[in-house]
Amino acid sequence: MKVTVLGCSGGIGQGLQTTSLLLDDDILIDAGTGVGDLSLEALAAINHVFLTHSHLDHIACLPFLLDSVMSRRSAPVTVHALPETIEVLKTHVFNWHIWPDFNQIPHQEHPFLQYQPLSPGKALGLNGRVITALPANHSVPAVGYLLDNGVQSIAFSGDTTSCDAFWQQVNQVGNLACLIIETSFSNAEIELAWVSRHLCPSLLLEGLDQLHGRPQVYITHLKPGEGDIIMQEIAACHHPLNPARLQQGQVIHL
Ligand SMILES: [Zn+2]
Ligand SMILES: [Zn+2]
């Protein structure tokens, strides 16, 4: 199992891209602006897109992805998401005003896009990779994901603030090798972090203290221009797991 980081920033500018992880060659976890760097061949190979939530930085490239590959594919792209997230996509994105409804074309029976509502906690197996939605606590309905190849697994928080249920579920994972978790704001912005349901370093550390295992921890979704101060604040805590900054283009092999 291979995870390629297409984008891991909370925003854009100077080459930064928003959240998207490519699992092997055929599964996207979120579809932020980083998707746009893939070749047309690589885009056409994507069969499944798992969305954490409906915010634009996580779905921005989904409409362009579908439009770009439809002439190269015979099977639909399956979008897995919470029912609430699917409803937002139908109402506010694929509504013919913002973008065509790829769930209706070219034929209702054989569309380019099909939706698969997620049941949180229920594992879905895809060619040896098992994907399970994890709890999250964000300003809209949201999940994280556990990616498990049967030997090792990666937990990804998506966008979240403090969430005891997330840590409880992650602590059930016996083979956790890697944790990718957001920290969007610096400690000076803890109020903003809470109102927008994100983490800052002090809230992150409270969460890490609940973690039983010792995975490699990577920090993602840093706000552009604040990455250095956020990572300095995390380093100053001298946490034994020594979280590292997730890098755009990084490939994690499990
Ligand atoms: Zn969000
Ligand atoms: Zn986000």
Side-chain angles (χ1 to χ4, degrees), residues 66-253:
L66 295 166
D67 195 41
S68 299
V69 302
M70 60 183 185
S71 63
R72 293 173 172 251
R73 289 181 57 89
S74 52
V77 174
T78 303
V79 170
H80 305 258
L82 287 171
E84 297 93 329
T85 305
I86 291 172
E87 200 52 45
V88 171
L89 292 176
K90 287 180 173 177
T91 305
H92 298 292
V93 180
F94 298 105
N95 58 7
W96 294 106
H97 295 282
I98 297 295
W99 212 242
D101 184 355
F102 285 97
N103 188 225
Q104 298 293 318
I105 55 174
H107 306 290
Q108 223 172 358
E109 299 78 27
H110 305 287
F112 291 129
L113 159 66
Q114 65 182 13
Y115 296 107
Q116 185 63 55
L118 277 177
S119 302
K122 187 177 169 203
L124 179 68
L126 292 169
N127 295 334
R129 297 141 314 169
V130 178
I131 301 176
T132 310
L134 297 171
N137 179 9
H138 197 37
S139 55
V140 295
V143 295
Y145 286 107
L146 182 72
L147 318 175
D148 189 348
N149 67 2
V151 180
Q152 291 182 303
S153 61
I154 299 177
F156 170 50
S157 70
D159 284 11
T160 189
T161 186
S162 303
C163 183
D164 289 345
F166 173 81
W167 297 108
Q168 286 162 11
Q169 196 148 334
V170 166
N171 280 333
Q172 305 295 317
V173 180
N175 64 1
L176 187 68
C178 177
L179 168 66
I180 300 173
I181 185 161
E182 76 124 281
T183 307
S184 296
F185 293 106
S186 65
N187 281 329
E189 296 178 304
I190 187 167
E191 290 298 326
L192 186 55
W194 179 245
V195 168
S196 59
R197 298 293 190 271
H198 285 289
L199 291 169
C200 63
S202 64
L203 296 175
L204 168 74
L205 269 293
E206 286 176 18
L208 288 181
D209 284 342
Q210 296 185 48
L211 186 61
H212 296 161
R214 294 186 61 82
Q216 172 69 58
V217 177
Y218 291 109
I219 305 301
T220 187
H221 208 281
L222 302 119
K223 283 287 171 210
E226 296 185 28
D228 290 345
I229 180 78
I230 292 169
M231 291 311 300
Q232 285 165 15
E233 289 177 349
I234 293 172
C237 297
H238 301 291
H239 192 278
L241 292 176
N242 193 23
R245 185 175 186 161
L246 191 67
Q247 303 289 335
Q248 190 171 307
Q250 183 174 349
V251 181
I252 300 170
H253 292 273

